[in-house]
Amino acid sequence: MLNPPLSRLSDDLRSRIVECVGHRHLNNLSLADRAFTQSCQKYIFRELELSNTDKLSQRIKNLKEVLDDKPEFANHVRMVVLANETAWLFNDPTFTSIFSLLANSPIPPHTLFFGRFMGNSRKIDDPIFVVRWLMQSFFSQSLTVLHLEECQNVPLPIFLICPRLREVTLDNVGAAEKSYAKYPDDLCSGRDSASPEVLVYRNSHSLVKQIITSPPRFSTPVVLWSNLRILKLAPNDKEGLPCLQPILDAACDTLEELYLTSLDRFKYQPALLAGLVSLSNLSNLRVFAVFAIIPCSKKRNAPYLAVIHDINIVLGTSPKPNKITNLSFFFDIVGKHPFHGCLDQDWVGMFHEFIRILDGKPLELDLMMAVSTGNLDVHHRGEGELYAGITEKSGSLSDYPEICVHFWNSTFWARGIGPTPRDYARGRCRR
């Protein structure tokens, strides 16, 4: 038994300890003191993960036996994770009985994952049936988070049957079809549109295009952008970038955070943003973050890619006055010493844009740099001098105490000191 005060910790603190311990040692922690038993049970049952394997039917039966013995465990489930090819489960009596228990929970599950990460196929089996099942389940009222990953055949009506949807992640997914002529009328019209606050997408342009402009089969938009606050996408997703500006225009009064930072793992190539991204109408934008690749090699007689100048053009579209309080940039410098074309980028112009955006208010500025040849952990000859050369060009910022500047590079990371993750913004620094 643990001695007080550890055994008298609040529920929140006990839950945090359980999260840090993780699955491997939960049994030992639960046995160490009964004070942790309930927190461990909540952690174990918070996710219902069902992969499409030969053992799935037996696993469902085992779960049903546990819930029959301890039905209160169903109240802990917050997330359901399904493989693309598990639509057959919705006709399985054991599975539907488990879902009946979840439906009666005081707080039914609110997060749904679909993806190949729990199976083998990228196609969602029988998408009409899946949509119909979701419409008839508790998810039609409880679902607030939808995560689709490695999915093809994604049905557009899925966004019409969950009006409380607040967070959507689309990662390497594709639309089911173009016309939706085979879909029943009640799945394509007469329903409230989803109005998410968070949208994350990459390599999913076919579905995103349909979300922006619904096919004629749909009498109303499937998604409204009037509540969108946070938008994250991959800046090197050349097919997805053209979808960005229509969303920005539709969410111009509400968008607060824009992260062009999610790396598209399928396309590690630099993309230019000028002409595709404008900040001019984003009256409430507070956070703007960009991940950019600066190549230091080129074809003979070809100019170096003007990456920083391109970013400066986008920054120049920001209005004055503005509400921006956080700017964050991660530069992956791809090449080797002497890093031709990197120091010649328009760094000075970028720092002048920061000053223009400042407009007399506090501004948190994160500049993260790493030299890469495919391995960020390797120290490259001359990279320290390169970082110093870029930093020296920021001298004009020293005249503006309202700008709190944070320079980060692989030297810091090697010492275990790292910046705020790319998809988040730091709070005001206490200098």
Side-chain angles (χ1 to χ4, degrees), residues 38-64:
Q38 188 175 20
S39 295
C40 290
Q41 291 171 348
K42 287 182 178 180
Y43 185 88
I44 292 172
F45 286 92
R46 79 192 192 286
E47 297 180 12
L48 175 57
E49 297 184 2
L50 300 174
S51 58
N52 193 40
T53 67
D54 296 337
K55 299 179 180 180
L56 180 54
S57 295
Q58 185 59 48
R59 185 183 177 193
I60 294 173
K61 292 178 181 178
N62 294 342
L63 177 61
K64 181 63 166 58

Side-chain angles (χ1 to χ4, degrees), residues 2-261:
L2 297 179
N3 296 319
L6 187 58
S7 60
R8 298 176 183 173
L9 293 174
S10 68
D11 290 343
D12 289 342
L13 285 176
R14 283 200 296 268
S15 296
R16 181 57 180 160
I17 292 173
V18 169
E19 290 176 5
C20 293
V21 169
H23 281 287
R24 183 177 300 177
H25 302 291
L26 284 185
N27 287 337
N28 292 336
L29 181 61
S30 181
L31 294 173
D33 195 293
R34 292 180 180 178
F36 287 103
T37 299
Q38 188 175 20
S39 295
C40 290
Q41 291 171 348
K42 287 182 178 180
Y43 185 88
I44 292 172
F45 286 92
R46 79 192 192 286
E47 297 180 12
L48 175 57
E49 297 184 2
L50 300 174
S51 58
N52 193 40
T53 67
D54 296 337
K55 299 179 180 180
L56 180 54
S57 295
Q58 185 59 48
R59 185 183 177 193
I60 294 173
K61 292 178 181 178
N62 294 342
L63 177 61
K64 181 63 166 58
E65 291 177 0
V66 172
L67 295 179
D68 285 343
D69 184 51
K70 298 284 187 180
E72 66 272 15
F73 286 174
N75 298 339
H76 302 328
V77 180
R78 296 292 177 266
M79 178 189 304
V80 177
V81 183
L82 297 172
N84 292 328
E85 65 269 44
T86 50
W88 61 268
L89 279 172
F90 306 148
N91 279 326
D92 182 87
T94 306
F95 179 78
T96 54
S97 65
I98 291 174
F99 254 66
S100 296
L101 289 174
L102 299 181
N104 293 325
S105 169
I107 306 177
H110 56 75
T111 299
L112 176 63
F113 276 57
F114 257 112
R116 191 174 67 172
F117 43 85
M118 297 295 291
N120 297 313
S121 174
R122 290 190 61 188
K123 280 192 174 183
I124 294 179
D125 288 344
D126 198 347
I128 294 178
F129 177 60
V130 169
V131 171
R132 179 73 70 189
W133 177 82
L134 287 172
M135 181 182 68
Q136 296 172 352
S137 75
F138 58 82
F139 271 129
S140 63
Q141 296 300 317
S142 70
L143 189 65
T144 59
V145 180
L146 177 64
H147 189 128
L148 304 173
E149 182 175 337
E150 297 280 342
C151 299
Q152 294 298 321
N153 220 24
V154 175
L156 194 60
I158 196 172
F159 300 102
L160 283 175
I161 60 176
C162 304
R164 297 183 61 194
L165 201 57
R166 290 294 173 262
E167 183 174 331
V168 177
T169 297
L170 308 173
D171 192 353
N172 195 32
V173 303
E177 53 181 278
K178 293 183 179 180
S179 67
Y180 292 90
K182 297 179 181 179
Y183 278 65
D185 291 342
D186 64 329
L187 296 185
C188 300
S189 61
R191 298 188 172 278
D192 293 334
S193 306
S195 185
E197 297 178 5
V198 180
L199 173 64
V200 182
Y201 75 86
R202 61 180 176 181
N203 199 29
S204 305
H205 55 277
S206 65
L207 182 61
V208 175
K209 286 179 180 178
Q210 288 189 356
I211 292 174
I212 295 173
T213 305
S214 305
R217 184 75 175 82
F218 297 83
S219 58
T220 58
V222 295
V223 170
L224 300 176
W225 305 113
S226 54
N227 287 317
L228 190 66
R229 296 177 42 252
I230 301 173
L231 178 57
K232 302 178 182 181
L233 67 149
N236 55 337
D237 182 359
K238 294 183 179 180
E239 291 82 5
L241 277 175
C243 301
L244 173 59
Q245 194 58 47
I247 299 176
L248 295 181
D249 293 338
C252 59
D253 294 329
T254 59
L255 193 70
E256 298 177 6
E257 303 179 23
L258 176 57
Y259 300 91
L260 308 181
T261 53

Side-chain angles (χ1 to χ4, degrees), residues 331-344:
F331 299 112
D332 188 7
I333 304 166
V334 181
K336 58 184 179 180
H337 186 269
F339 307 108
H340 288 299
C342 186
L343 275 178
D344 295 336

